[in-house]
Amino acid sequence: MYRLAGILKRAYQFSGKPIEPDRLHVSLVFLGGLPDHAIATVCEAVAETRMQPFEVSFDRSVSFLGSAGSRPFVLMGDEGASGLMSLRQKLGATLTRAGLRRRANAPFTPHATLLYDSRRVDEHPIDPISWTVSEFVLIRSKNGHTHLARWPLRA
């Protein structure tokens, strides 16, 4: 994805810097602002999530609205993102049972942000980029990018 970000950056004449490879991800649920005890509850609850590893495929690029000067430029897909939708639903149900219903019911559009830029581009097809999702990770992205916990996907 990082190499593709560079290619698309040049093609669209973006000035924004591509997201570093070790920071590329698909956010499933935003948990920002939760106190540490609530994060511990989340970790305990989602550890029981069961799902087989699955394929993801993104086949188009587009700019989201974002704020002026910082519009996310992303990859997305419909059919290729169905596994992400299923995992999000499972995590949402788990978080609802753990008392975090508002977080679980937030809107979700599966995507991977490649960079932020002041320019906005319309949706365009790309050659599909695919990978196998075999785990999900809890990341704290305030002041860096720290992996707090990982869970393998398994039936």
Side-chain angles (χ1 to χ4, degrees):
M1 261 194 277
Y2 185 74
R3 193 177 69 127
L4 178 60
I7 292 168
L8 293 173
K9 175 184 173 170
R10 287 186 296 281
Y12 294 121
Q13 301 176 348
F14 287 138
S15 59
K17 183 180 177 206
I19 305 292
E20 291 296 325
D22 63 335
R23 294 180 62 114
L24 288 167
H25 65 278
V26 175
S27 295
L28 295 166
V29 180
F30 177 71
L31 299 174
L34 288 180
D36 287 344
H37 69 85
I39 294 294
T41 299
V42 167
C43 288
E44 197 173 299
V46 301
E48 300 306 315
T49 301
R50 296 286 184 261
M51 187 168 171
Q52 290 280 10
F54 58 90
E55 279 293 305
V56 169
S57 181
F58 289 154
D59 60 5
R60 62 189 192 276
S61 63
V62 66
S63 293
F64 283 171
L65 291 178
S67 59
S70 185
R71 300 182 197 288
F73 177 68
V74 306
L75 298 181
M76 21 185 336
D78 290 323
E79 296 297 317
S82 62
L84 291 170
M85 296 298 287
S86 295
L87 178 55
R88 171 62 158 77
Q89 288 172 340
K90 287 177 183 278
L91 292 172
T94 299
L95 293 174
T96 297
R97 287 191 299 276
L100 296 167
R101 181 174 165 200
R102 207 170 72 205
R103 302 288 175 132
N105 291 334
F108 176 60
T109 301
H111 67 278
T113 302
L114 297 180
L115 58 83
Y116 293 87
D117 199 83
S118 58
R119 294 192 63 234
R120 183 181 182 285
V121 296
D122 292 329
E123 185 175 305
H124 292 282
I126 60 166
D127 288 336
I129 182 166
S130 304
W131 70 95
T132 300
V133 176
S134 59
E135 68 178 353
F136 61 100
V137 181
L138 178 60
I139 298 171
R140 175 171 283 144
S141 56
K142 184 178 181 180
N143 299 324
H145 202 83
T146 307
H147 291 191
L148 300 179
R150 315 178 95 85
W151 298 275
L153 291 180
R154 59 191 188 278

